[in-house]
Amino acid sequence: MKLMEKIWSKAKEDKKKIVLAEGEEERTLQACEKIIKEGIANLILVGNEKVIKEKASKLGVSLNGAEIVDPETSDKLKAYADAFYELRKKKGITPEKADKIVRDPIYFATMMVKLGDADGLVSGAVHTTGDLLRPGLQIVKTAPGTSVVSSTFIMEVPNCEYGDNGVLLFADCAVNPCPDSDQLASIAISTAETAKNLCGMDPKVAMLSFSTKGSAKHELVDKVRNAVEIAKKAKPDLSLDGELQLDASIVEKVASLKAPGSEVAGKANVLVFPDLQAGNIGYKLVQRFAKADAIGPVCQGFAKPINDLSRGCNSDDIVNVVAVTAVQAQAQK
Ligand code: ACO
């Protein structure tokens, strides 16, 4: 069974309520029909009811079973505005500004998640990553014990012996441009949790660099070495090692030469890149050259799950991201 099928099955076992902030968007409506038909999640669509229903009828899509909520007419608007004001008054938000901001569908949907009216949020078919994540960072914030929200791509590489038969998690490829050592350690720990909770994997985390175990000396290498120390101290039972080059991380023969005795080298299934440039370029290289499936970016580290879509996504991608979000919500019980 492919990984996404397993995630679908898991989502169906304990259905969660996921809010889709771009409820008027066509691919979202097509996905909505499929999600309900498959029983992957209960859905809330945010938007104008008339517009949503007209679009659905034009597309020939059934929305039976989905709840539609319009921020402008919702009886929760005032409660959300008041709660948002309380959360952000120290940042200069006034009650008037709060009332205006929470009418924005993404802010409104984020407040639904914050106040427990939804278990998770998916958006981003139209909005940028920043448009979606900023409200989440301001309102939902990080899970206890986690210093940063980050992201991972689940890579499924066909005909590949590396990782778990070609399945590897790459992080961070979408959120933190220049993580410091503390943040890198937090990204590594969050990604190991995603590997375990979402993918059912036994994580073996490689902290990537252009150096293996001191083969090069540079401040960029020191950043990764420090992150390894911090992560090991925080999670002594986690299988994590570094700094490691990519080949030493995944190829047993190279590992035996460059990092003998490492419990991770040669067997890594979680690859933590030193910064966003490396991570974003790295996942796209594997996706294009190896024709790999790249599931994500899966956001991790939020107190409640929020996930971003690519603006180039299709309706099947949205179904998959909703399934991922629903399974993340199950883990947060
Ligand atoms: N984790 C936790 N909190 C964070 C994080 C983080 N990673 N980043 C910012 N915050 C907090 C800040 O502390 C701040 O909190 P406060 O307002 O309560 O004090 C709040 O979030 C907003 O912070 P800003 O610095 O104003 O947020 P910014 O405008 O920098 O946006 C964002 C954050 C959107 C994540 C930004 O870092 C970003 O744009 N990252 C790159 C996204 C991107 O373009 N990725 C590539 C494309 S995606 C792809 O290819 C798949």
Side-chain angles (χ1 to χ4, degrees):
M1 199 193 259
K2 284 193 78 170
L3 182 63
M4 208 58 236
E5 290 169 32
K6 286 187 196 160
I7 292 174
W8 277 34
S9 306
K10 203 160 178 220
K12 291 176 191 182
E13 281 168 16
D14 174 17
K15 269 208 286 184
K16 294 293 168 186
K17 197 188 270 189
I18 305 301
V19 57
L20 301 171
E22 294 159 332
E24 297 174 12
E25 196 277 325
E26 294 189 357
R27 291 159 294 172
T28 303
L29 294 174
Q30 286 159 337
C32 176
E33 182 182 52
K34 192 160 182 183
I35 291 160
I36 291 171
K37 205 166 136 206
E38 292 285 345
I40 291 169
N42 297 317
L43 290 182
I44 305 168
L45 295 169
V46 177
N48 179 281
E49 189 164 352
K50 189 161 170 276
V51 173
I52 290 175
K53 286 192 168 159
E54 275 173 10
K55 281 201 178 163
S57 132
K58 217 165 114 192
L59 291 166
V61 158
S62 160
L63 300 180
N64 276 347
E67 196 183 325
I68 298 174
V69 180
D70 183 347
E72 292 298 335
T73 56
S74 165
D75 57 8
K76 296 277 176 84
L77 185 66
K78 178 152 180 358
Y80 290 176
D82 290 349
F84 182 70
Y85 166 67
E86 283 304 321
L87 282 167
R88 303 295 294 172
K89 62 184 177 193
K90 283 197 188 123
K91 298 279 171 180
I93 293 294
T94 60
E96 295 72 32
K97 274 192 193 159
D99 177 72
K100 198 165 165 229
I101 289 170
V102 295
R103 288 169 196 265
D104 173 274
I106 295 188
Y107 273 90
F108 187 87
T110 309
M111 287 308 298
M112 290 187 110
V113 174
K114 172 73 181 174
L115 297 185
D117 293 326
D119 300 311
L121 162 64
V122 173
S123 193
V126 181
H127 292 81
T128 64
T129 303
D131 288 340
L132 174 70
L133 293 187
R134 209 167 289 110
L137 296 170
Q138 292 172 351
I139 295 167
V140 171
K141 299 190 179 282
T142 51
T146 305
S147 66
V148 282
V149 166
S150 60
S151 71
T152 188
F153 274 91
I154 304 161
M155 306 299 296
E156 284 193 283
V157 189
N159 308 315
C160 172
E161 71 271 35
Y162 304 127
D164 287 8
N165 293 319
V167 177
L168 297 103
L169 272 67
F170 287 15
D172 175 2
C173 308
V175 179
N176 296 280
C178 300
D180 60 21
S181 297
D182 280 316
Q183 292 170 331
L184 211 47
S186 178
I187 292 166
I189 292 166
S190 290
T191 313
E193 279 164 12
T194 301
K196 205 168 145 204
N197 296 336
L198 184 67
C199 309
M201 292 161 75
D202 178 17
K204 293 182 190 64
V205 184
M207 305 293 280
L208 298 182
S209 173
F210 58 84
S211 165
T212 298
K213 301 283 184 182
S215 65
K217 308 250 174 285
H218 193 277
E219 63 192 71
L220 292 174
V221 177
D222 294 340
K223 179 178 96 165
V224 179
R225 291 173 79 95
N226 290 339
V228 171
E229 265 182 43
I230 296 164
K232 283 191 169 188
K233 210 168 158 195
K235 294 277 167 192
D237 296 336
L238 179 60
S239 252
L240 175 145
D241 204 4
E243 87 288 359
L244 293 168
Q245 286 164 287
L246 186 272
D247 54 356
S249 303
I250 58 172
V251 184
E252 298 259 16
K253 257 192 182 164
V254 180
S256 64
L257 292 171
K258 292 189 173 183
S262 166
E263 59 170 323
V264 169
K267 304 183 225 21
N269 53 18
V270 172
L271 304 180
V272 177
F273 291 80
D275 67 23
L276 188 52
Q277 307 233 42
N280 192 271
I281 294 166
Y283 102 81
K284 284 180 195 285
L285 279 172
V286 174
Q287 182 185 31
R288 299 292 166 180
F289 282 107
K291 301 195 187 328
D293 280 341
I295 302 168
V298 175
C299 290
Q300 51 192 16
F302 273 120
K304 291 182 178 178
I306 294 178
N307 276 307
D308 184 31
L309 297 163
S310 155
R311 277 173 290 166
C313 69
N314 59 36
S315 61
D316 287 340
D317 296 327
I318 301 177
V319 175
N320 288 339
V321 175
V322 167
V324 163
T325 310
V327 173
Q328 286 179 309
Q330 290 173 353
Q332 265 161 351
K333 270 192 283 196

